[in-house]
Every structure is written in structure tokens, then in C-alpha cells.
Amino acid sequence: MTKAIRIHAPGGPEALSYDDIELPAPGEGEVRLRQTAIGLNYIDVYHRTGLYPIPNLPSVIGLEGAGVVEALGAGITELAPGDRVAYANPPLGAYADERNMPVDRLVKVPDGISDEQAAAIMLQGMTVEYLIRRTYNVKAGDTVLFHAAAGGVGLMACQWLNHLGATVIGTVGSEEKADLAKANGCHHTILYNKEDIAARVREITDGAGVPVVYDSVGKDTFDASISSLSPLGLFVTFGNASGPVPPVDPGLLSQKGSLFMTRPNLMTYTAKREDMVASAESLFEVVQSGAVKVAINQRYPLAEAAQAHRDLEARKTTGSTILLP
Ligand SMILES: NC(=O)c1ccc[n+]([C@@H]2O[C@H](COP(=O)([O-])OP(=O)(O)OC[C@H]3O[C@@H](n4cnc5c(N)ncnc54)[C@H](OP(=O)(O)O)[C@@H]3O)[C@@H](O)[C@H]2O)c1
């Protein structure tokens, strides 16, 4: 038996049920993990509400964690009991004291990075890695617009973009979040509930607009994002915190200056093991060098995952959040 947070049906935070579940012995190619920290991510909300449907319920949710290898399934030579590992990908099941994971979806956590830090950065940090280096290869001197700049993905993005030599324009929901984003390398902040985002971006860029917009807010920021791009700019829509973006008329991309649009996700960018390992290594490097500092600004007991979800959805959190088994 182990403790886990499951959903039996989609719903509000009350749908998160703290259950005793049977954990089978690890199968072939799997290891049993004793988890020491679990990452909270906005995708957990989409799974809970049913925006991203889970085919078989009840199901433990969560895609990110760190812990210690406790037992090995058949055929495992890559890892040994006692190894510290972390992950940020399916299968679902991170919200648990213990779980089994396929060995090819784990990376070893290097010295100098704690379990809590690993659980806080793997998903959000590898997302930043692929967004700013592979979806669009940001170069020194570029000016980029990054929405929700004080969030988990946002704070890491501000620091990493700053490290690359880019100028970062970040949107935020409050003055306090603006201060936090600025302290993390965001050069210009826009309060999106008070200011006209596209007008401010044009002002900051002397009318030019930006070559790339990273938008995880979705529905509420779509128009402003499209209107902030320079000709041939790239609109990267990678999340739905305010709701999904409605269907887009391709003619709009033409009118706004022959724009490009992509809807990427971390699973595709880390599907090949070599890509996942390379992404994690780049992330560990910028954290170990001090270029990107990990902001674990909220910690909750795993049993209180519902409160963590309430706070995330109410925009009360900043930086990264972890759940502790
Ligand atoms: N596609 C991918 O590969 C991928 C991977 C990781 C994350 N994501 C996406 O990236 C986004 C950030 O993830 P995260 O885990 O780091 O979360 P987060 O940014 O820490 O939290 C979401 C933030 O979005 C902002 N927001 C704007 N409108 C909102 C609304 N109506 N309701 C709630 N929040 C709103 C809030 O900041 P303000 O108060 O400052 O507005 C809030 O703090 C999410 O949309 C997530 O789905 C996508």
C-alpha cells in the first residue's frame, strides 16, 4: 500500500482524493521510487478538470517528481537502489509516496541539486529549454515577450533568457509579481489587467514588435500576442491558464504580417531519450552555474494537494511549487 492523490472523476480541487492504493512490484524495465518531492504544474489542473481527459479513471495524477530508487524490475542495469533520480513526463502518477517508473524516462540528479530543486525544475525548466533554444533559437540582442513571467515557467524563462543576452518583456498580474519578475532578469514588465500589452510592446521596441511571443495564458492574451509580433514573427502558444485559444483563422496570420504559429508540448520535445537527457543536462548546467536560481516559493504536504491547486488557479503562487510526501 502507498498513499496517493487520485481523481475518480474530473472536477474542482475537491476531486483530488487522498487514497491508499496497491502498488505492484516494478515490472520489466521499471524501478520502484520512494518519492521525496513532487512538482506541481498547471497541466495537473488541466488533468483534474478534464480539459486534458484521462482515459482510465480513477487515476493518480502528476507528471514530475524526484526520489530514491528502492527496487529494480527485471532487466535493469542502468540504475541501482539508492540512486537519486527525477523525471518530468508520463505515465501519470507523480502524486504518490511511492510509484513505479520506466527506467528510460528517468535521469540521475547530479550532486549540487537537491531532490526538492529537481522536483521543482524538471518540467518547467526543460520546457524553458526547448522553448527558447529549439522552438525559437533566442540569440543575444533579441527582444522577446513572455507571458506569466512571475510563474514557475516564467521565472526560470526570465533568468535563462537574460543569461542568453536577450531583452525580456514579461506580463504579470500584480505589482508584486512585476518586482519579482524584474529581480529575476525581466527587463520590462506589463501589468496585463491594467495596460494594453501590444501598445506597450510597440513602445518598448520603437514600433518594431518582437520576433517571438511565448504565450501560456491562452484565451485572454491571444489578440495581444498576435498584435505584438514583428513581420514573420513566431507565435508560440503553449498553455491555457485562462482557457484554450479558440480556433484561429489563418487569414489573421497573413494580415498581421505573415506570422508563424506553433502549439508545442514538452512530451514531443523529450520523446526521444537522447533529447530528454540533453534537455535535462542543459537545465542542470544553468542551475549549477547559478545562471538560473530555483525559486521554490510554495511547499504543501501531498495530502493538501487540493489547496495547492486552489492557490495555483487563484494566481496566488509565484515561481515553483512542490508537494511533499
Ligand atoms: N506546452 C508545454 O510544453 C508546457 C509545459 C509546461 C507548462 N506549460 C504551460 O505553461 C503555463 C505555466 O505553467 P506553470 O506550471 O509554470 O504555472 P504558473 O505560471 O506558475 O501559473 C500560471 C500563471 O498564469 C497566470 N494567469 C493568467 N491568467 C490566468 C487565469 N485566468 N487563471 C490562472 N492563472 C492565470 C497567473 O500569473 P499572473 O497572475 O501573473 O497572470 C498564474 O500564476 C501553464 O499554462 C502551463 O500549462 C506548457
Side-chain angles (χ1 to χ4, degrees):
M1 283 287 189
T2 190
K3 284 281 185 190
I5 296 277
R6 293 195 295 183
I7 58 163
H8 295 254
E14 70 289 345
L16 298 172
S17 168
Y18 192 47
D19 295 343
D20 287 312
I21 60 162
E22 289 289 349
L23 187 61
E28 190 172 346
E30 288 185 337
V31 299
R32 160 84 55 88
L33 297 184
R34 178 174 54 78
Q35 302 209 108
T36 46
I38 297 154
L40 178 80
N41 293 286
Y42 221 93
I43 193 169
D44 307 342
V45 172
Y46 309 146
H47 282 133
R48 194 206 70 220
T49 59
L51 179 66
Y52 295 176
I54 300 174
N56 298 308
L57 295 177
S59 171
V60 183
I61 63 165
L63 290 169
E64 180 181 38
V68 179
V69 175
E70 289 262 288
L72 308 179
I76 304 289
T77 52
E78 304 87 335
L79 292 174
D83 282 346
R84 285 196 319 127
V85 293
Y87 61 89
N89 41 233
L92 285 172
Y95 282 27
D97 289 359
E98 292 188 84
R99 71 167 304 179
N100 296 327
M101 265 306 278
V103 71
D104 64 348
R105 294 279 92 200
L106 294 169
V107 295
K108 282 193 186 180
V109 179
D111 292 343
I113 295 191
S114 70
D115 290 12
E116 289 199 354
Q117 288 177 320
I121 63 175
M122 286 291 288
L123 199 148
Q124 294 166 348
M126 290 199 295
T127 298
V128 172
E129 184 281 323
Y130 86 72
L131 287 173
I132 68 174
R133 294 169 24 136
R134 293 190 276 158
T135 305
Y136 183 94
N137 188 12
V138 177
K139 305 244 176 15
D142 286 342
T143 299
V144 313
L145 174 61
F146 209 105
H147 289 294
V153 172
L155 280 191
M156 257 185 273
C158 288
Q159 296 178 78
W160 203 331
L161 285 163
N162 201 57
H163 176 60
L164 293 179
T167 298
V168 187
I169 306 174
T171 58
V172 286
S174 68
E175 296 284 0
E176 296 72 35
K177 289 185 181 186
D179 291 343
L180 183 65
K182 281 189 181 135
N184 282 273
C186 186
H187 301 86
H188 306 273
T189 52
I190 302 176
L191 288 166
Y192 36 25
N193 40 15
K194 288 200 186 131
E195 298 178 273
D196 178 333
I197 300 172
R200 285 274 287 120
V201 169
R202 295 283 162 193
E203 194 182 293
I204 293 163
T205 58
D206 292 329
V210 289
V212 60
V213 174
Y214 294 105
D215 188 339
S216 66
V217 173
K219 183 169 67 63
D220 288 357
T221 43
F222 172 76
D223 291 335
S225 293
I226 291 284
S227 301
S228 298
L229 285 160
S230 52
L232 308 185
L234 176 65
F235 174 51
V236 183
T237 171
F238 71 102
N240 338 275
S242 68
V245 174
V248 176
D249 172 5
L252 183 65
L253 303 177
S254 165
Q255 280 165 32
K256 295 282 181 178
S258 305
L259 304 180
F260 294 83
M261 172 170 165
T262 182
R263 190 5 178 139
N265 66 65
L266 177 64
M267 308 318 152
T268 315
Y269 278 85
T270 54
K272 289 190 197 140
R273 178 164 174 83
E274 69 251 38
D275 291 339
M276 180 187 72
V277 170
S279 184
E281 280 174 357
S282 306
L283 171 63
F284 292 148
E285 202 177 291
V286 288
V287 170
Q288 284 176 311
S289 74
V292 172
K293 297 198 171 50
V294 184
I296 305 176
N297 292 353
Q298 298 75 216
R299 289 177 172 81
Y300 301 82
L302 175 61
E304 291 170 24
Q307 189 56 46
H309 276 224
R310 279 187 200 101
D311 292 347
L312 183 63
E313 287 178 277
R315 306 163 78 158
K316 286 186 182 160
T317 67
T318 58
S320 301
T321 303
I322 55 171
L323 306 173
L324 298 169

